[in-house]
Amino acid sequence: MNLKDLTYFAALAEQKQFTAVSEQFGVTQPTISYALKRLEEEFESALIVRDTTKKSVVLTKTGQLVYELAVKIRREIAFTKEEVALQSIEKLRFGLPPIIGMYYFRDLLKNWAC
């Protein structure tokens, strides 16, 4: 399963139009169609019903489930990226108001200033 396919599908579920999704990601409309086809083959179920009169799509029951899980997966990936970025930070900095810092850490600060 391709993460990009899930991203395209989630956008399709939200925007309801292939053209809008293809413009959003700067890809061709067939790219979105192929992504949808791969997901439908992966899940062995139709995910959308095309409404040709309105030129939009309606999610099937399975499509709604996959959409909800795709949103969760995308959130988890974003969270993971943030956590990885935090791990790369080498120094932890914190601050105290000057009056508290001077009162509690006066001796410590004198030793560090030398």
Side-chain angles (χ1 to χ4, degrees):
M1 182 178 313
N2 186 337
L3 180 60
K4 197 69 132 171
D5 291 348
L6 281 175
T7 302
Y8 292 156
F9 175 71
L12 181 62
E14 293 165 0
Q15 297 187 25
K16 310 286 189 211
Q17 293 183 333
F18 282 87
T19 304
V21 175
S22 66
E23 289 172 358
Q24 176 184 345
F25 291 102
V27 297
T28 62
Q29 188 272 334
T31 302
I32 306 302
S33 296
Y34 289 131
L36 176 63
K37 182 179 179 183
R38 285 189 295 269
L39 286 174
E40 289 180 331
E41 288 173 357
E42 177 80 25
F43 293 114
E44 298 177 357
S45 181
L47 301 178
I48 65 164
V49 175
R50 296 172 196 242
D51 185 350
T52 55
T53 59
K54 296 180 184 175
K55 293 187 178 183
S56 67
V57 298
V58 177
L59 296 178
T60 63
K61 196 173 194 178
T62 304
Q64 183 62 37
L65 175 64
V66 171
Y67 168 68
E68 291 169 6
L69 294 173
V71 169
K72 287 180 184 178
I73 290 168
R74 289 171 45 205
R75 270 194 237 127
E76 287 296 321
I77 289 172
F79 175 76
T80 301
K81 287 180 180 181
E82 289 174 13
E83 288 296 312
V84 168
L86 288 175
Q87 291 297 317
S88 66
I89 297 174
E90 295 180 15
K91 294 180 182 179
L92 176 63
R93 296 182 182 190
F94 67 96
L96 295 171
I99 193 163
I100 293 175
M102 290 305 294
Y103 180 76
Y104 287 107
F105 301 111
R106 184 177 316 168
D107 294 330
L108 180 65
L109 292 173
K110 286 180 186 176
N111 292 336
W112 279 42
C114 296

